[in-house]
Structure formats: structure tokens, C-alpha cells
Amino acid sequence: MASKQLYQEVILDHNRKPRNYGMLADATHSSEGRNPLCGDQIRVSLKVDGDRVDSVGFEGQACAICKASASMMTAAVKGKSLPEIDTLIEEFRAMATGKLDTAHDANHLGRLSVFAGVKDLPSRVKCAVLPWHTLHAAVRSETTTSTEGDYDPVSQTV
Ligand code: ZN
């Protein structure tokens, strides 16, 4: 009950005031991600200095869950090292697909664990994962990605 209410408040808050909205003028990495299932389309840009993400921004046309996930993601990864970010990407994907139980399994997700409930909403999993998926592609300098095909977060074994 409480977590469901928190989830709704977080989604509303991040839709009203998305954090780090907009593309960086001095980005070193960027990628565009699509989730054809819902119609979400977002772009993520990063400024990487050494192995650390200095700044991060996103923009796009996305549903509330996708936008809130992107907004929280940018806040979470800013200032982190690339290995730390890889860990977060893996943990978020595992949580969203029900492979990681944030209440019992060790993880670094913190506030991001409000998205744990999407595992029970199969049509929403890709919405929540898309920003992370796009971040993953951006870090690896892949310019486009999709939640379908090889990188499908639902069929993928993380
Ligand atoms: Zn969506």
C-alpha cells in the first residue's frame, strides 16, 4: 500500500518537474531509444570525463512511467563512474523483470526501487527500462537502440 502510494507520488512529481531535461550542448555520448510497444521515444546525452559522468540530460516523447524513470535515472547516475552506472543498469533491469527483489537482495538502487512494482505490469516493463537501455547504448557509443530484438529487456537473460 505505502509503496504503491510512493510510486504514484514519484511518477507525478517527476512528470511535473523532470530532472535534467534537455540535451547537453557539450555531450560526449548520446543515444536515442524507442519502445514501439508504447510509442516511447527518448534521447539521452552524457558528458563523460575520464570514467565519470559529469552531466547527463534526456528529452523525448514518452509516457509517464518512462519519463519518470528517465528523470530519476539522470539524477541517480550524475557524478557516478561508468562501472557504478553499469551496475545500476543491470540492477534496474533485473528489478523491473522480477529477477531482483529489492527488499531482500543487495543492491544500489535506493529510491529507484519505487519501480519494483512494474514487474507486475508486463506492458510497462519496457517503458521503465527504456531510459536505462538508452543510457547503456549511449555509454557504449551506440547511437540508436530499441526495446525489441537482441536487447529486449523482457526476453533477455540479465
Ligand atoms: Zn511507455
Side-chain angles (χ1 to χ4, degrees):
M1 287 292 277
S3 72
K4 196 167 194 176
Q5 194 182 356
L6 176 66
Y7 170 75
Q8 280 163 355
E9 275 171 22
V10 167
I11 301 272
L12 279 174
D13 177 50
H14 283 267
N15 273 281
R16 219 179 287 132
K17 292 179 295 175
R19 317 301 195 267
N20 307 300
Y21 195 84
M23 297 302 272
L24 305 173
D26 54 353
T28 55
H29 296 68
S30 67
S31 186
E32 183 174 329
R34 286 159 202 262
N35 170 18
L37 201 68
C38 172
D40 304 312
Q41 197 173 338
I42 69 160
R43 292 200 290 154
V44 172
S45 63
L46 303 171
K47 184 177 177 221
V48 180
D49 183 14
D51 82 333
R52 203 157 286 275
V53 170
D54 252 9
S55 41
V56 51
F58 83 97
E59 66 178 22
Q61 302 291 322
C63 69
I65 290 176
C66 184
K67 205 167 171 185
S69 176
S71 173
M72 286 189 77
M73 176 186 81
T74 59
V77 304
K78 204 169 176 174
K80 291 228 164 53
S81 71
L82 296 176
E84 285 172 325
I85 289 171
D86 271 343
T87 302
L88 280 179
I89 293 171
E90 258 177 55
E91 290 181 353
F92 191 93
R93 282 179 174 167
M95 170 181 71
T97 51
K99 296 181 187 97
L100 183 146
D101 178 353
T102 52
H104 299 103
D105 304 329
N107 66 83
H108 308 79
L109 293 167
R111 295 198 63 198
L112 294 165
S113 61
V114 294
F115 285 97
V118 299
K119 69 175 191 297
D120 301 320
L121 306 165
S123 64
R124 291 303 184 193
V125 171
K126 289 181 179 180
C127 299
V129 169
L130 180 67
W132 293 88
H133 197 57
T134 310
L135 175 67
H136 185 263
V139 165
R140 280 156 187 76
S141 301
E142 293 161 9
T143 51
T144 59
T145 188
S146 167
T147 52
E148 304 305 309
D150 290 349
Y151 288 111
D152 190 322
V154 177
S155 64
Q156 188 189 21
T157 46
V158 177

